[in-house]
């Protein structure tokens, strides 16, 4: 993190200096004017090579890697004296927050120019001399990713970060597309749907992804500034306009002629703006950070950031969303969110979060991806707000104490982070899926297609007893491989592993009989026929072998190792 403002030595951390946040880009422009200006700017950025690959090219691998770690020195060295390169000038301006000569920006943005960028609210004069240099008012950067619907290439605006400003974040800071946003976009199921809700839209990244496979999208946020950034980003990156009316909290002209779903924006907290409505998909990267509040001493002085702090004690924000989101899900609708949950002394995390699933009355699948102890968690989020021990030792220590006191008050031993997938059963049906697991290893992204297939497999298995499963034809998924481990000189393997290349990269140790069944599963013979043949080969009763193998076969179908044929 870049250095934060100096704080006086005191027992409590000082609140951030008062910052007047700039208006979102495009504020005040009529929808038609914004559409025209955004189209010109989009053409300029593409022509300048200001793309993910283009930035990597001008920076080089070392400086690019350092910039991903929030270290700007190598990038500044790489860009020094290269104002004539359009991609280099734009990277210095928008990614590093450096002043750029006006002539260099005029050349880089040939259609838009400095004057057009100023009308859009992207830049301002860097000093008293208007013709000298300009600086960025907001962060504007290329974005490239792949979700379950395929690759995307966009540009996203957000507030300038600490690396560019050298100061703490403002409480109403609008975050760009960070690691959590990218994770949620990649794990989201992308089955074509009708209505999508992006709860806590921020800069609008989830709404943009959803617009590619939905008929309509509603984005909500408690921050009107965030909705303004979303309005600009959707207008900038889609073939239709989205204009946010701050007076009515609606988008009057969403969905003009063009491709993509219309995106409607509404101001409000959590589910309040959509009460009484139904959605086929809900996605949310909610303000899940567990921040001490109202405990006195350091907790009272900790800044509250709209993008990360829900204003609730502990993990109540995530609990309430898990237990309440069913109210806005259509039958068969899916909700996917990221969240933190506390590991409290004497209570297994899956038991505690499992109680949330039970209260929700929904199908539920929770995957814990990471666990931090209280000290690690406190360090992560104190730094995230801009306080460092090197520059503000007293503020750092006071904030650290406040976090540890807060966790100790609830006997918190660790904090988990993960993915929650929920589904509303069809009318009259009861939940059939309750799965909580820990998968902390690497995964193959995008994961959304794998999660969608797993839900389909669960439904397929739920509808079939063992007799029906024995009558089914299965085939090995194309990403599955087999590994055999031999003791030197031994003719037979001591361990056989079935390994999944996609999804969570699971590995299953297979018995000789299971390995034989999977190896022969090509969709031609039924499971029962294969069990019978293997039983005859091994000279064991077929019923006994079926009793051993069928439960494991169910697990392999559930996790995508085997897929039904026909």
């Amino acid at each position: 993190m870049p250095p934060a403002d100096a704080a006086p030595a005191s027992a409590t951390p000082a609140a951030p200096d008062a910052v007047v946040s700039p208006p979102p880009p495009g504020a005040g422009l009529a929808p038609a004017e914004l559409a025209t200006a955004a189209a010109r700017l989009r053409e300029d950025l593409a022509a300048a090579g200001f793309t993910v690959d283009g930035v990597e090219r001008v920076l080089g691998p070392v400086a690019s890697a350092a910039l991903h770690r929030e270290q700007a020195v190598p990038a500044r060295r790489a860009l020094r004296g290269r104002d004539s390169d359009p991609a280099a000038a734009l990277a210095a301006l928008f990614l590093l927050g450096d002043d750029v000569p006006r002539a260099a920006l005029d050349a880089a943005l040939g259609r838009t120019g400095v004057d057009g960028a100023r009308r859009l609210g992207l830049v301002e004069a860097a000093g008293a001399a208007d013709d000298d240099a300009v600086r960025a008012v907001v962060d504007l950067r290329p974005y490239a990713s792949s979700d379950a619907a395929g690759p995307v290439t966009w540009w996203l605006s957000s507030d300038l970060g600490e690396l560019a400003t050298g100061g703490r974040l403002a409480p109403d800071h609008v975050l760009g597309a960070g690691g959590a946003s990218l994770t949620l976009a990649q794990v989201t199921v992308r089955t074509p749907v009708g209505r999508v809700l992006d709860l806590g839209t921020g800069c609008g990244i989830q709404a943009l992804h959803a617009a590619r496979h939905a008929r309509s999208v509603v984005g909500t946020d408690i921050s009107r500034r965030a909705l303004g950034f979303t309005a600009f980003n959707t207008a900038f990156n889609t073939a239709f306009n989205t204009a946010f009316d701050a007076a009515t909290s609606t988008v009057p002209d969403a969905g003009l002629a063009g491709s993509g779903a219309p995106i409607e924006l509404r101001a409000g907290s959590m589910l309040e703006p959509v009460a009484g409505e139904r959605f086929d998909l809900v996605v949310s990267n909610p303000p899940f950070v567990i921040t001490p509040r109202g405990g006195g001493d350091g907790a009272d002085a900790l800044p509250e950031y709209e993008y990360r702090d829900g204003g609730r004690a502990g993990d109540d924000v995530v609990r309430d969303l898990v237990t309440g989101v069913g109210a806005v899900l259509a039958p068969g609708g899916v909700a996917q969110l990221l969240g933190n949950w506390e590991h409290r002394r004497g209570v297994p995390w899956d038991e505690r979060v499992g109680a949330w699933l039970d209260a929700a009355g929904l199908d539920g699948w929770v995957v814990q991806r990471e666990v931090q102890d209280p000290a690690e968690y406190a360090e992560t989020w104190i730094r995230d707000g801009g306080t460092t021990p090197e520059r503000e030792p007293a503020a750092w220590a006071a904030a650290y104490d406040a976090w540890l006191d807060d966790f100790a008050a609830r006997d918190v031993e660790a904090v988990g982070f993960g993915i929650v997938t929920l589904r509303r059963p069809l009318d009259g049906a009861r939940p059939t899926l309750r799965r909580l697991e820990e998968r902390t290893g690497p995964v193959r992204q995008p994961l959304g297609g794998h999660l969608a297939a797993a839900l389909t497999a669960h439904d397929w298995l739920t509808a079939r007893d063992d007799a029906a499963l024995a009558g089914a034809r299965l085939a090995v998924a194309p990403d599955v491989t087999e590994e055999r481990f031999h003791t030197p000189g031994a003719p037979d393997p001591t361990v056989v592993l079935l390994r999944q290349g996609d999804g969570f990269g699971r590995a299953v140790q297979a018995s000789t009989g299971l390995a034989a069944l999977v190896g022969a599963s090509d969709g031609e013979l039924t499971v029962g026929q294969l069990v019978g043949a293997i039983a005859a080969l091994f000279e064991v009763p077929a019923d006994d072998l079926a009793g051993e193998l069928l439960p494991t076969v169910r697990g392999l179908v559930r996790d995508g190792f085997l897929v039904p044929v026909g």
Side-chain angles (χ1 to χ4, degrees):
M1 293 287 183
D5 296 333
S10 64
T12 61
D17 293 341
V19 176
V20 178
S21 299
L29 296 182
E33 184 181 1
L34 176 58
T36 300
R40 284 198 300 263
L41 179 61
R42 198 165 51 239
E43 293 172 5
D44 285 338
L45 296 180
F50 190 54
T51 62
V52 170
D53 290 341
V55 171
E56 295 278 345
R57 173 185 63 80
V58 298
L59 292 181
V62 173
S64 293
L67 195 59
H68 285 302
R69 299 191 301 270
E70 297 288 310
Q71 298 299 318
V73 172
R76 287 197 169 96
R77 290 171 60 90
L79 298 177
R80 189 177 299 154
R82 298 177 65 184
D83 291 341
S84 60
D85 184 323
L90 293 170
L93 178 71
F94 289 118
L95 304 187
L96 301 181
D98 291 347
D99 295 352
V100 170
R102 180 186 178 104
L105 185 58
D106 268 330
L109 301 179
R111 298 165 184 80
T112 302
V114 170
D115 291 338
R118 290 180 68 171
R119 281 194 299 274
L120 282 168
L122 301 176
V123 301
E124 65 183 5
D130 191 51
D131 293 334
D132 189 11
V134 294
R135 67 167 60 100
V137 176
V138 299
D139 185 294
L140 180 68
R141 65 181 59 217
Y143 172 86
S145 181
S146 291
D147 63 19
V152 295
T153 302
W154 295 321
W155 289 272
L156 295 174
S157 67
S158 61
D159 276 323
L160 289 167
E162 297 164 63
L163 185 144
T165 66
R168 293 184 182 180
L169 304 182
D172 62 352
H173 181 85
V174 176
L175 197 66
S181 297
L182 182 58
T183 295
L184 181 59
Q186 291 179 319
V187 305
T188 298
V189 172
R190 299 296 172 189
T191 306
V193 292
R195 302 188 75 206
V196 175
L197 169 63
D198 176 14
L199 190 157
T201 189
C203 72
I205 184 62
Q206 307 305 329
L208 283 169
H209 277 277
R212 302 164 69 227
H213 65 101
R215 287 198 299 272
S216 65
V217 179
V218 174
T220 67
D221 206 290
I222 197 170
S223 166
R224 291 181 181 275
R225 291 191 70 250
L227 294 175
F229 276 99
T230 298
F232 177 79
N233 288 332
T234 55
F236 189 55
N237 289 294
T238 62
F240 54 84
N241 284 317
T242 301
F244 174 63
D245 185 334
T248 62
S249 303
T250 61
V251 180
D253 293 314
L256 300 180
S259 61
I263 299 175
E264 178 185 355
L265 304 180
R266 304 181 191 175
S269 178
M270 301 305 284
L271 294 167
E272 291 173 1
V274 294
E277 300 182 45
R278 296 292 181 270
F279 296 87
D280 303 295
L281 174 66
V282 176
V283 293
S284 183
N285 181 13
F288 58 71
V289 176
I290 300 169
T291 305
R293 290 282 165 242
D297 298 327
D300 286 336
L302 288 172
E304 184 170 345
Y305 297 109
E306 288 181 338
Y307 74 88
R308 75 179 202 188
D309 298 322
R312 303 291 304 281
D315 50 21
D316 286 356
V317 164
V318 177
R319 180 202 63 192
D320 291 350
L321 185 54
V322 169
T323 58
V325 72
V328 301
L329 282 177
V334 172
Q336 293 184 277
L337 58 128
L338 304 180
N340 279 163
W341 39 82
E342 295 179 339
H343 293 206
R344 296 183 180 174
R345 184 174 291 106
V347 183
W349 78 268
D350 52 349
E351 179 180 313
R352 185 164 179 271
V353 178
W356 301 353
L357 298 184
D358 296 339
L362 305 172
D363 288 331
W365 184 6
V366 180
V367 182
Q368 182 166 269
R369 296 284 297 136
E370 182 181 358
V371 178
Q372 290 186 323
D373 65 45
E376 289 177 298
Y377 192 85
E379 292 165 16
T380 297
W381 295 109
I382 299 170
R383 285 186 182 276
D384 178 79
T387 301
T388 66
E390 296 82 11
R391 293 194 176 267
E392 300 176 90
W396 172 271
Y400 213 143
D401 269 334
W403 244 287
L404 296 184
D405 285 345
D406 185 60
F407 283 137
R410 294 187 301 276
D411 283 337
V412 175
E413 297 181 316
V415 179
F417 169 84
I419 307 160
V420 180
T421 300
L422 306 166
R423 185 176 58 175
R424 185 182 181 88
L426 297 176
D427 287 337
R430 297 173 60 85
T432 59
L433 175 61
R434 187 183 188 275
R435 186 173 186 182
L436 298 99
E437 60 180 322
E438 185 166 12
R439 306 296 305 179
T440 56
V443 299
R444 181 75 174 269
Q445 295 282 20
L447 198 61
H450 176 79
L451 297 182
L455 291 176
T456 300
H458 168 81
D459 294 340
W460 187 87
L461 290 167
T462 300
R464 286 163 176 80
D465 59 15
D466 282 352
L469 178 60
R473 291 176 169 80
L474 305 176
V476 181
D479 64 305
V480 174
T481 57
E482 182 183 271
E483 300 174 10
R484 291 176 176 252
F485 297 85
H486 291 75
T487 300
D492 298 319
T494 54
V495 176
V496 177
L497 288 181
L498 303 174
R499 189 174 298 279
Q500 185 180 60
D502 199 3
F504 289 106
R506 301 176 192 272
V508 174
Q509 185 169 340
S511 65
T512 304
L514 181 64
L517 186 148
V518 172
S521 293
D522 57 7
E524 293 296 322
L525 299 177
T526 67
V527 173
Q529 289 171 325
L530 291 175
V531 169
I534 296 168
L537 180 64
F538 290 172
E539 298 180 343
V540 297
D543 288 346
D544 291 350
L545 187 61
E548 172 193 333
L549 295 184
L550 287 181
T552 307
V553 169
R554 281 189 177 274
L556 294 179
V557 173
R558 178 195 65 179
D559 292 332
F561 287 80
L562 295 172
V563 294
V565 175

